[in-house]
């Protein structure tokens, strides 16, 4: 398996697990936001937040939206849920080779969501 690398704050494409108890790559590649990177359990892992293009008009506490017009890697407006985060191995099994830094227009929304999710 090839190693994957992305900086904190990058929008990436990930096979977010459908069930965190099983911890297998999900069937769909979806947007995710890199929140941290560490060596855990002897391997490099990325902490990522779940992204979806569904219900982007209903942002709850700990969620924020990145407009597709502001991010080259997004084809639709995308809601990132900082309440739904998971550590994933930094391998090509979980991540597609695509990354982009969070646009400046989304920083304020991220900060507010991170405070609500108690990440900062």
């Amino acid at each position: 398996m090839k190693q994957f690398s992305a900086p904190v704050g990058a929008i990436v494409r990930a096979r977010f697990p459908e069930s965190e108890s099983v911890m297998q790559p999900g069937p769909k590649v979806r947007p995710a936001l890199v929140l941290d990177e560490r060596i855990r359990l002897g391997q490099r892992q990325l902490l990522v937040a779940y992204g979806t293009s569904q219900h982007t008009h209903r942002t709850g506490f700990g969620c924020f939206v990145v407009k597709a017009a502001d991010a080259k890697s997004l084809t639709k407006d995308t809601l990132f849920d900082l309440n739904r985060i998971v550590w994933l191995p930094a391998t090509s099994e979980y991540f597609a080779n695509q990354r982009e830094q969070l646009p400046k227009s989304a920083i304020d929304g991220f900060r507010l969501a991170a405070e609500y999710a108690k990440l900062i």
Side-chain angles (χ1 to χ4, degrees):
M1 270 177 282
K2 200 165 108 178
Q3 287 288 306
F4 176 80
S5 179
V8 170
I11 297 171
V12 296
R13 302 302 254 171
R15 294 188 179 279
F16 205 93
E18 289 184 334
S19 169
E20 293 166 28
S21 61
V22 177
M23 277 309 293
Q24 292 184 18
K28 182 178 177 183
V29 177
R30 64 175 56 258
L33 179 67
V34 178
L35 301 173
D36 199 358
E37 176 185 0
R38 292 194 185 154
I39 302 296
R40 296 181 72 241
L41 306 172
Q43 69 179 167
R44 198 164 60 79
Q45 296 187 5
L46 300 176
L47 179 64
V48 295
Y50 181 83
T52 181
S53 60
Q54 301 294 309
H55 309 294
T56 57
H57 59 283
R58 296 190 308 201
T59 57
F61 294 118
C63 299
F64 72 102
V65 173
V66 176
K67 299 286 186 189
D70 295 339
K72 295 176 194 168
S73 64
L74 300 176
T75 57
K76 297 179 181 178
D77 292 354
T78 301
L79 180 137
F80 289 97
D81 185 348
L82 302 185
N83 299 299
R84 189 170 177 194
I85 59 176
V86 66
W87 286 99
L88 298 177
T91 65
S92 58
E93 182 181 19
Y94 281 92
F95 294 95
N97 196 19
Q98 184 180 7
R99 62 193 68 76
E100 170 183 17
Q101 203 60 28
L102 186 67
K104 290 181 182 182
S105 60
I107 297 295
D108 289 340
F110 166 76
R111 279 194 190 120
L112 185 59
E115 286 176 19
Y116 281 125
K118 299 191 182 343
L119 295 178
I120 57 173

